[in-house]
PDB file of all heavy atoms in Angstrom:
ATOM      1  N   MET X1369       4.548   7.397 -11.539  1.00 52.00           N
ATOM      2  CA  MET X1369       4.479   8.745 -12.101  1.00 52.00           C
ATOM      3  C   MET X1369       3.979   8.707 -13.541  1.00 52.00           C
ATOM      4  O   MET X1369       3.220   9.573 -13.960  1.00 52.00           O
ATOM      5  CB  MET X1369       5.845   9.432 -12.027  1.00 52.00           C
ATOM      6  CG  MET X1369       6.278   9.750 -10.610  1.00 52.00           C
ATOM      7  SD  MET X1369       5.046  10.668  -9.659  1.00 52.00           S
ATOM      8  CE  MET X1369       4.993  12.191 -10.546  1.00 52.00           C
ATOM      9  N   LEU X1372       0.248   8.347 -13.394  1.00 50.00           N
ATOM     10  CA  LEU X1372      -0.382   9.602 -13.011  1.00 50.00           C
ATOM     11  C   LEU X1372      -0.391  10.599 -14.158  1.00 50.00           C
ATOM     12  O   LEU X1372      -1.361  11.321 -14.357  1.00 50.00           O
ATOM     13  CB  LEU X1372       0.343  10.210 -11.801  1.00 50.00           C
ATOM     14  CG  LEU X1372       0.133   9.501 -10.475  1.00 50.00           C
ATOM     15  CD1 LEU X1372       1.029  10.123  -9.408  1.00 50.00           C
ATOM     16  CD2 LEU X1372      -1.317   9.555 -10.043  1.00 50.00           C
ATOM     17  N   LYS X1373       0.682  10.638 -14.926  1.00 54.00           N
ATOM     18  CA  LYS X1373       0.735  11.560 -16.064  1.00 54.00           C
ATOM     19  C   LYS X1373      -0.277  11.178 -17.133  1.00 54.00           C
ATOM     20  O   LYS X1373      -0.830  12.032 -17.806  1.00 54.00           O
ATOM     21  CB  LYS X1373       2.143  11.596 -16.650  1.00 54.00           C
ATOM     22  CG  LYS X1373       3.119  12.360 -15.793  1.00 54.00           C
ATOM     23  CD  LYS X1373       4.490  12.387 -16.413  1.00 54.00           C
ATOM     24  CE  LYS X1373       5.452  13.119 -15.503  1.00 54.00           C
ATOM     25  NZ  LYS X1373       6.799  13.158 -16.037  1.00 54.00           N
ATOM     26  N   MET X1374      -0.517   9.893 -17.288  1.00 51.00           N
ATOM     27  CA  MET X1374      -1.502   9.445 -18.275  1.00 51.00           C
ATOM     28  C   MET X1374      -2.921   9.834 -17.856  1.00 51.00           C
ATOM     29  O   MET X1374      -3.769  10.098 -18.677  1.00 51.00           O
ATOM     30  CB  MET X1374      -1.426   7.920 -18.466  1.00 51.00           C
ATOM     31  CG  MET X1374      -0.123   7.440 -19.043  1.00 51.00           C
ATOM     32  SD  MET X1374       0.232   8.132 -20.673  1.00 51.00           S
ATOM     33  CE  MET X1374      -1.014   7.301 -21.633  1.00 51.00           C
ATOM     34  N   LYS X1376      -3.704  12.529 -15.659  1.00 51.00           N
ATOM     35  CA  LYS X1376      -3.863  13.975 -15.532  1.00 51.00           C
ATOM     36  C   LYS X1376      -3.381  14.674 -16.798  1.00 51.00           C
ATOM     37  O   LYS X1376      -2.293  14.399 -17.285  1.00 51.00           O
ATOM     38  CB  LYS X1376      -3.072  14.481 -14.332  1.00 51.00           C
ATOM     39  CG  LYS X1376      -3.617  13.933 -13.027  1.00 51.00           C
ATOM     40  CD  LYS X1376      -2.861  14.507 -11.857  1.00 51.00           C
ATOM     41  CE  LYS X1376      -3.436  13.949 -10.596  1.00 51.00           C
ATOM     42  NZ  LYS X1376      -2.788  14.510  -9.418  1.00 51.00           N
ATOM     43  N   PRO X1377      -4.159  15.600 -17.327  1.00 51.00           N
ATOM     44  CA  PRO X1377      -3.770  16.292 -18.561  1.00 51.00           C
ATOM     45  C   PRO X1377      -2.759  17.411 -18.337  1.00 51.00           C
ATOM     46  O   PRO X1377      -2.338  18.036 -19.287  1.00 51.00           O
ATOM     47  CB  PRO X1377      -5.096  16.866 -19.063  1.00 51.00           C
ATOM     48  CG  PRO X1377      -5.922  17.049 -17.834  1.00 51.00           C
ATOM     49  CD  PRO X1377      -5.500  15.954 -16.890  1.00 51.00           C
ATOM     50  N   PHE X1378      -2.362  17.691 -17.099  1.00 47.00           N
ATOM     51  CA  PHE X1378      -1.399  18.743 -16.846  1.00 47.00           C
ATOM     52  C   PHE X1378      -0.142  18.168 -16.214  1.00 47.00           C
ATOM     53  O   PHE X1378      -0.187  17.102 -15.611  1.00 47.00           O
ATOM     54  CB  PHE X1378      -2.008  19.827 -15.936  1.00 47.00           C
ATOM     55  CG  PHE X1378      -2.637  19.282 -14.684  1.00 47.00           C
ATOM     56  CD1 PHE X1378      -1.882  19.115 -13.537  1.00 47.00           C
ATOM     57  CD2 PHE X1378      -3.977  18.923 -14.655  1.00 47.00           C
ATOM     58  CE1 PHE X1378      -2.436  18.601 -12.390  1.00 47.00           C
ATOM     59  CE2 PHE X1378      -4.547  18.434 -13.496  1.00 47.00           C
ATOM     60  CZ  PHE X1378      -3.778  18.271 -12.362  1.00 47.00           C
ATOM     61  N   PRO X1379       0.998  18.840 -16.366  1.00 49.00           N
ATOM     62  CA  PRO X1379       2.261  18.316 -15.829  1.00 49.00           C
ATOM     63  C   PRO X1379       2.235  18.226 -14.318  1.00 49.00           C
ATOM     64  O   PRO X1379       1.640  19.053 -13.643  1.00 49.00           O
ATOM     65  CB  PRO X1379       3.317  19.305 -16.295  1.00 49.00           C
ATOM     66  CG  PRO X1379       2.614  20.411 -16.939  1.00 49.00           C
ATOM     67  CD  PRO X1379       1.161  20.103 -17.043  1.00 49.00           C
ATOM     68  N   ILE X1380       2.951  17.230 -13.799  1.00 46.00           N
ATOM     69  CA  ILE X1380       3.045  17.045 -12.348  1.00 46.00           C
ATOM     70  C   ILE X1380       4.293  17.719 -11.841  1.00 46.00           C
ATOM     71  O   ILE X1380       5.327  17.653 -12.380  1.00 46.00           O
ATOM     72  CB  ILE X1380       3.049  15.554 -11.998  1.00 46.00           C
ATOM     73  CG1 ILE X1380       1.706  14.971 -12.392  1.00 46.00           C
ATOM     74  CG2 ILE X1380       3.317  15.337 -10.526  1.00 46.00           C
ATOM     75  CD1 ILE X1380       1.611  13.480 -12.151  1.00 46.00           C
TER      76      ILE X1380
END
Side-chain angles (χ1 to χ4, degrees):
M1369 292 308 295
L1372 288 174
K1373 286 181 182 179
M1374 296 300 291
K1376 295 183 180 183
F1378 51 89
I1380 295 177

